[in-house]
Amino acid sequence: MSTVRSTCPYCGVGCGVLLARDSAGGLTVTGDPDHPANRGRLCSKGSALGQTVGREGRLLVPRMGGRDTDWDSALDHVADRFARTVERHGPDSVAFYASGQMLTEDYYVANKFMKGFVGTANIDTNSRLCMASTVAGHKRAFGTDTVPGTYDDLDQADLVVLVGSNLAWCHPILHQRVLAAKAARGTKIVVIDPRRTATCDGADLHLPLALGSDVALFNRLLVAIHQGDALDRGYIAHVDGFDAALLAARSGGTGPTGLAPELITEFCRLWVRTERVVTVFSQGVNQSSAGTDKVNAILNCHIATGRIGKPGMGPFSVTGQPNAMGGREVGGLANTLACHLDLENAAHRSALREFWDAPRIPDAPGLKAVDMFRAVAKGRIKALWIMHTNPAVTLPEADAVRDAIAACDFTVVSDITAATDTARLADVLLPASAWAEKDGTVTNSDRTISRQRAVLAAPGDARPDWWHIAQVARRMGFGRAFDYDTPAEIFREHAALSGIAGSFGRDFDISALSDLSDTAYAALPPTRWPVAARRGGRFFADGLSFHENGRMRMVPVTWHAPVADTGRRFPLRLNTGRVRDHWHTMTRTGTSPRLSAHMAEPFVEIHPKDATAFGIAPDTLVELTSPSGRSVLRATITDAGQPGTLFAPIHWTAETAPTGRIDALVAAMTDPVSGQPESKASVCAARPFGAAWYGFAVSSRPVTPVADYWALARTDAGWRLELAGREIPEDWESTARALFDLPRAEIQMLSDPGRGVARLAFRDGARLVAALFVSPQPVAVMRDYLSELPQEDVLTGRAPADRPDPGPILCSCFGVGVNTILSAIESDGLMSVDAVGAALSAGTNCGSCRSEIAALLVGARVAEAAE
Ligand SMILES: Nc1nc2c(c(=O)[nH]1)N[C@H]1C(S)=C(S)[C@@H](COP(=O)(O)OP(=O)(O)OC[C@H]3O[C@@H](n4cnc5c(=O)[nH]c(N)nc54)[C@H](O)[C@@H]3O)O[C@H]1N2
Ligand SMILES: Nc1nc2c(c(=O)[nH]1)N[C@H]1C(S)=C(S)[C@@H](COP(=O)(O)OP(=O)(O)OC[C@H]3O[C@@H](n4cnc5c(=O)[nH]c(N)nc54)[C@H](O)[C@@H]3O)O[C@H]1N2
Ligand code: SF4
Ligand SMILES: [Mo]
């Protein structure tokens, strides 16, 4: 079979991929050399896509009340329940929770269904947790939600400032573009993040500011711009609010950043004197109770200097999800309409109603995500449809959200698997086609629309998401408006609507694509919007905005601290975010052994000072509590963060590590303008978990652990498992047999009950099928070696002397571990990332681990110098 061009379904970089089916029904995935986002490169997640397309865990048929059923019964039931709920309790008693990972066509249909036909604006999306502050900040400054930057600007900048962005791990291909610009033209890189991250390796300057203090920093920059004479007076002639913004920045706008004054001065000097500056920002900015103000504090500096919309300069919000941008185009949020039309604007509403031939368009915004689930908890929302997102894990106060969904009268979940915390609560489960099985478009961070194309047959009865919605809509009597047979029809309709929006002067106009034939849609190359007769190219270089008076706007902003106060009960601040090789709740990346090797367990980073203060030893388990929940995580003691702050990843769930659900701890406090939760500055307390025993297990077969603490990860040979408990079981053999479901397998065992140590291996003939290692301290065995389920005697927990322990895998493409790299650095005197690559191949394929290799090199040099 020939190769098909498509788009990576993970992050908002939107890399082009080439997909080829292999003879075994699998998929070979390589980078598309012709795609403008990545020019052939892929990161570790994109490179491992082929490992995530199997049938394992897929939801194959619709389910109702826990039983398999057929599509007609499921769809009739959903339509009936939605219709009856609307009839009895009004349209606002139903809600839809969508996702920035839906294709534009799916997303458009969902919005049309809710806002046009059900007649409620109660449709919000996980973008509320992600891009809402940027959307609100853009609208305040530009009058519409327009991203002025493009990826080419990153190649052409002389200074790239990364604010609240761990680009090396979260947008790896963009990070590589920035590093390439550094190599080619000496681009300086500044990282503004309370934490030292992988992105700091390769940066010229790191500003470890206090959590939440970005407004204070950028207000200082605005003052420095004014003092340093970097204002663009000609541009400011087009700007409203300059004086007010400067005044606010000067007076009271500059709270404590916790940064050394010289560091601030150096940053300001660099920014002020560099014309070509791109300020990239992400969740350290958006996910804050001051998120919208942070966005405007950044935009203010670019507007005041006229450094916007020109080559190599501008503010650049990078989108997280593959179609975060497309979701904004179709009006996915409860306070927006399709094609960047405004819900508050009566002319826009009536144009939309006419275009859709819809009975009504709501004239007031619907419930934003956090409020939506509060309304579910209160019973005000009685029917809920959740599509392509896992809110029982990822919304703040996640335990309360889980309870609310469980208690909701009627919940529909469209997903590709039933094994999610949310899907387990659904009344009706609808099986969705996964990315490689369906057609549609996504828009990446730089407004480039790319096609996703089907190459695999959907397994079982799985169907695309747009079809789920259109089928229910038809059954509710809205047939004419949802009479679609293909995504191409939906795309054309959306493009035609954008022309009407364009005639209102809106930015999102792709009307030139509204008569695309099916063949042309099939062949659509990556295309950056706007694509319209009346407008093209870049935004804002001319100083014209989308506000009614056409002027750009600077917004006066003043600093405030994160909303939740630390105090005696909850003295620590919890920062949260992502790791390199996992995607959100891991329903896909968790099925890849390669991606699960980098970080196989949830953890919390804790500063050495706090570890001492709270009595926490390395690698032990820590219990975190907050006003909303509890969590148990492995302690990583590091000075990467600041004293008084913790960092924990968001990826683990009841499926993979039940006490690792980090949003159980996060408070549902939101930005007053955008409604986006403050996901990175909750308060909590930490104390030792007090494990009586720790365990590590490997198994060739699935396991269902029962323990106070466990965390499960996929390996090439099966699964690996961390365990711990507060009480020592009476008998390790029966515990292990139950864990592995091996009542009769041949056992080999070493135990020393006096020391609390036990080691058990189970064999099927000569083949090792499972092993458990127990100790009163964190278990010290060679995990990566044991995960291979080796044939040798494993009860020592170590590899034979001639097989050194590779250590935790750093390079997932070639499976190269930390120890292997460190010993090569030492024995061969390697001095550079390229030298490590030449010796071990590590870092030579996707390059996602290059910054971590760089950090190992620095560490090795420091250690050598100290000797
Ligand atoms: N590997 C991987 N990549 C992903 C994803 C994934 O799940 N895994 N998800 C995608 C999605 S949806 C998104 S939204 C993006 C997110 O991409 P990023 O925003 O880059 O990722 P995060 O780790 O959430 O947060 C970034 C940084 O913000 C910092 N931060 C916290 N508080 C503050 C603050 O007050 N000020 C500043 N300046 N910084 C702060 C954190 O320390 C963290 O290092 O990643 C996308 N890419
Ligand atoms: N504390 C804290 N919380 C956060 C964040 C943080 O930084 N800190 N980040 C927030 C951000 S930025 C984001 S974007 C969210 C992400 O949070 P979620 O969107 O809740 O997480 P995902 O795991 O991406 O959920 C996607 C779901 O869609 C399913 N799926 C996959 N493919 C398909 C498909 O084709 N169709 C359908 N119907 N389903 C499919 C997957 O199996 C999975 O269940 O988390 C937010 N929560
Ligand atoms: S950077 Fe990685 S995850 Fe993001 S789109 Fe590209 S290959 Fe996919
Ligand atoms: Mo996101």
Side-chain angles (χ1 to χ4, degrees):
M1 194 185 135
S2 59
T3 314
V4 170
R5 282 173 205 281
S6 191
T7 312
C8 174
Y10 294 125
C11 84
V13 178
C15 296
V17 290
L18 300 178
L19 306 178
R21 254 184 9 213
D22 61 31
S23 47
L27 199 61
T28 309
V29 183
T30 49
D32 179 354
D34 297 328
H35 197 288
N38 59 317
R39 302 266 173 238
R41 308 204 72 156
L42 293 178
C43 78
S44 50
K45 293 182 295 302
S47 307
L49 273 167
Q51 285 197 334
T52 65
V53 294
R55 276 173 81 106
E56 188 179 310
R58 286 295 296 274
L59 173 66
L60 298 174
V61 288
R63 281 201 213 162
M64 276 193 319
R67 290 229 175 88
D68 290 358
T69 186
D70 57 88
W71 270 113
D72 273 328
S73 314
L75 295 166
D76 285 345
H77 185 55
V78 174
D80 179 56
R81 288 297 297 257
F82 265 66
R84 270 199 291 144
T85 308
V86 171
E87 206 177 279
R88 283 203 200 139
H89 306 283
D92 289 339
S93 65
V94 302
F96 202 111
Y97 187 58
S99 163
Q101 296 169 63
M102 287 162 65
L103 303 181
T104 298
E105 291 76 0
D106 302 332
Y107 226 147
Y108 174 82
V109 173
N111 271 277
K112 182 177 178 183
F113 172 62
M114 290 299 284
K115 290 188 182 132
F117 291 83
V118 175
T120 174
N122 282 344
I123 168 164
D124 211 43
T125 122
N126 63 1
S127 280
R128 185 69 60 191
L129 319 175
C130 183
M131 306 311 304
S133 296
T134 289
V135 172
H138 281 163
K139 283 183 150 188
R140 291 203 300 194
F142 311 142
T144 183
D145 172 26
T146 314
V147 177
T150 71
Y151 295 160
D152 306 330
D153 293 332
L154 296 172
D155 308 336
Q156 295 162 10
D158 293 318
L159 172 63
V160 174
V161 181
L162 302 168
V163 196
S165 155
N166 187 3
L167 205 72
W169 281 10
C170 296
H171 299 88
I173 297 302
L174 290 188
H175 189 239
Q176 290 184 15
R177 280 178 82 151
V178 174
L179 292 178
K182 185 183 173 77
R185 59 185 289 147
T187 305
K188 291 263 190 291
I189 303 171
V190 176
V191 174
I192 300 176
D193 192 310
R195 222 164 42 104
R196 195 173 64 243
T197 64
T199 306
C200 297
D201 302 305
D204 298 274
L205 202 61
H206 173 214
L207 274 63
L209 80 179
L211 273 170
S213 65
D214 305 72
V215 168
L217 179 65
F218 279 88
N219 270 349
R220 281 197 176 81
L221 175 61
L222 185 61
V223 173
I225 286 168
H226 181 242
Q227 285 168 351
D229 238 359
L231 295 175
D232 181 338
R233 300 274 174 197
Y235 197 86
I236 292 174
H238 299 273
V239 174
D240 285 335
F242 169 74
D243 292 328
L246 185 62
L247 187 70
R250 278 209 187 112
S251 58
T254 51
T257 60
L259 294 168
E262 315 79 70
L263 214 48
I264 300 183
T265 312
E266 197 179 344
F267 163 63
C268 290
R269 201 172 335 117
L270 203 55
W271 208 102
V272 166
R273 70 159 187 240
T274 314
E275 176 84 3
R276 284 174 172 245
V277 50
V278 176
T279 308
V280 170
F281 55 99
S282 187
Q283 298 314 335
V285 169
N286 292 332
Q287 288 172 341
S288 160
S289 59
T292 310
D293 284 352
K294 288 183 181 187
V295 170
N296 287 108
I298 293 169
L299 300 183
N300 283 349
C301 295
H302 281 275
I303 295 173
T305 49
R307 295 177 187 167
I308 185 166
K310 298 170 195 153
M313 54 187 102
F316 196 172
S317 144
V318 283
T319 48
Q321 300 180 89
N323 203 29
M325 187 73 93
R328 287 145 73 177
E329 290 156 17
V330 303
L333 295 161
N335 53 331
T336 58
L337 292 180
C339 299
H340 290 192
L341 292 170
D342 284 331
L343 194 102
E344 302 79 30
N345 186 314
H348 290 186
R349 285 198 308 272
S350 78
L352 185 61
R353 196 174 58 77
E354 197 175 309
F355 181 80
W356 278 345
D357 194 13
R360 53 184 161 245
I361 301 281
D363 54 8
L367 294 168
K368 302 188 173 98
V370 168
D371 291 332
M372 179 184 282
F373 284 87
R374 283 192 182 132
V376 173
K378 290 195 182 117
R380 279 173 40 219
I381 300 289
K382 298 174 193 306
L384 172 67
W385 194 340
I386 298 167
M387 183 173 275
H388 211 147
T389 175
N390 195 357
V393 183
T394 51
L395 271 170
E397 296 179 11
D399 288 350
V401 170
R402 188 172 59 182
D403 295 346
I405 299 170
C408 186
D409 286 355
F410 184 65
T411 309
V412 185
V413 170
S414 295
D415 204 299
I416 57 167
T417 171
T420 82
D421 293 20
T422 305
R424 294 208 185 272
L425 307 171
D427 297 292
V428 176
L429 267 173
L430 303 178
S433 315
W435 68 279
E437 301 152 8
K438 63 182 174 184
D439 281 290
T441 54
V442 289
T443 311
N444 71 5
S445 293
D446 89 339
R447 288 181 269 112
T448 298
I449 299 169
S450 297
R451 280 292 320 269
Q452 272 194 13
R453 295 185 173 91
V455 275
L456 301 174
D461 287 346
R463 296 278 181 282
D465 288 305
W466 66 263
W467 187 88
H468 299 190
I469 307 162
Q471 286 296 325
V472 168
R474 288 184 204 179
R475 284 166 167 81
M476 287 175 74
F478 313 134
R480 231 165 13 103
F482 293 87
D483 190 18
Y484 307 114
D485 288 322
T486 64
E489 291 168 37
I490 305 169
F491 182 87
R492 284 190 290 265
E493 183 180 313
H494 183 221
L497 176 60
S498 80
I500 295 176
S503 69
F504 280 110
R506 302 278 83 187
D507 57 340
F508 175 72
D509 190 341
I510 56 166
S511 50
L513 303 175
S514 62
D515 51 8
L516 218 56
S517 67
D518 287 356
T519 334
Y521 178 76
L524 184 70
T527 307
R528 184 182 296 139
W529 64 259
V531 205
R534 66 175 76 78
R535 196 185 242 288
R538 308 187 62 108
F539 292 103
F540 308 133
D542 52 8
L544 290 177
S545 81
F546 295 95
H547 285 297
E548 239 160 54
N549 65 4
R551 294 166 65 78
M552 299 290 274
R553 221 166 266 173
M554 284 171 66
V555 180
V557 286
T558 41
W559 166 87
H560 71 78
V563 176
D565 269 333
T566 50
R568 286 241 322 264
R569 275 188 71 204
F570 300 110
L572 298 166
R573 224 176 253 297
L574 175 67
N575 179 5
T576 62
R578 291 156 170 79
V579 303
R580 193 190 75 193
D581 286 356
H582 276 308
W583 178 261
H584 299 166
T585 65
M586 296 203 283
T587 59
R588 285 172 293 171
T589 51
T591 64
S592 158
R594 227 160 89 184
L595 296 179
S596 302
H598 183 238
M599 286 178 168
E601 190 187 14
F603 59 90
V604 56
E605 291 182 2
I606 181 161
H607 192 274
K609 281 189 185 157
D610 296 318
T612 308
F614 298 104
I616 292 156
D619 296 327
T620 58
L621 290 172
V622 191
E623 181 172 44
L624 300 182
T625 49
S626 83
S628 62
R630 165 184 180 272
S631 190
V632 179
L633 303 161
R634 186 76 57 180
T636 301
I637 298 175
T638 163
D639 63 1
Q642 298 166 28
T645 69
L646 306 170
F647 175 83
I650 60 172
H651 306 289
W652 279 268
T653 68
E655 303 290 320
T656 47
T659 63
R661 300 169 70 251
I662 210 65
D663 270 295
L665 296 168
V666 175
M669 311 229 179
T670 54
D671 176 286
V673 187
S674 68
Q676 180 154 355
E678 183 147 74
S679 315
K680 291 185 163 20
S682 295
V683 296
C684 67
R687 61 168 179 242
F689 167 67
W693 62 275
Y694 287 89
F696 174 74
V698 289
S699 170
S700 61
R701 307 193 320 179
V703 281
T704 20
V706 184
D708 295 328
Y709 172 86
W710 59 265
L712 192 60
R714 203 77 171 81
T715 62
D716 279 316
W719 283 264
R720 60 187 272 186
L721 177 65
E722 301 286 345
L723 295 150
R726 283 196 160 127
E727 271 168 49
I728 300 176
E730 231 154 68
D731 162 23
W732 283 114
E733 178 175 343
S734 55
T735 305
R737 286 195 184 277
L739 171 68
F740 300 127
D741 190 20
L742 291 170
R744 276 175 295 279
E746 189 190 322
I747 185 172
Q748 207 188 344
M749 181 164 165
L750 275 177
S751 92
D752 183 345
R755 284 174 47 228
V757 174
R759 299 184 164 196
L760 309 91
F762 294 91
R763 290 184 186 273
D764 177 2
R767 198 170 63 89
L768 179 70
V769 288
L772 172 66
F773 301 80
V774 182
S775 154
Q777 286 87 38
V779 178
V781 293
M782 291 185 179
R783 285 172 164 69
D784 297 277
Y785 165 71
L786 293 171
S787 296
E788 298 167 12
L789 290 172
Q791 291 310 303
E792 290 93 340
D793 172 29
V794 295
L795 289 188
T796 59
R798 334 218 121 255
D802 57 340
R803 278 199 51 183
D805 174 21
I809 301 300
L810 203 68
C811 167
S812 55
C813 295
F814 294 107
V816 188
V818 171
N819 295 348
T820 311
I821 297 172
L822 282 174
S823 65
I825 291 173
E826 198 184 323
S827 62
D828 303 350
L830 305 179
M831 298 297 283
S832 69
V833 177
D834 288 333
V836 171
L840 302 168
S841 298
T844 57
N845 181 44
C846 79
S848 298
C849 61
R850 288 176 69 89
S851 31
E852 286 155 279
I853 296 175
L856 288 183
L857 282 159
V858 173
R861 263 176 241 139
V862 171
E864 198 179 321
E867 269 164 17

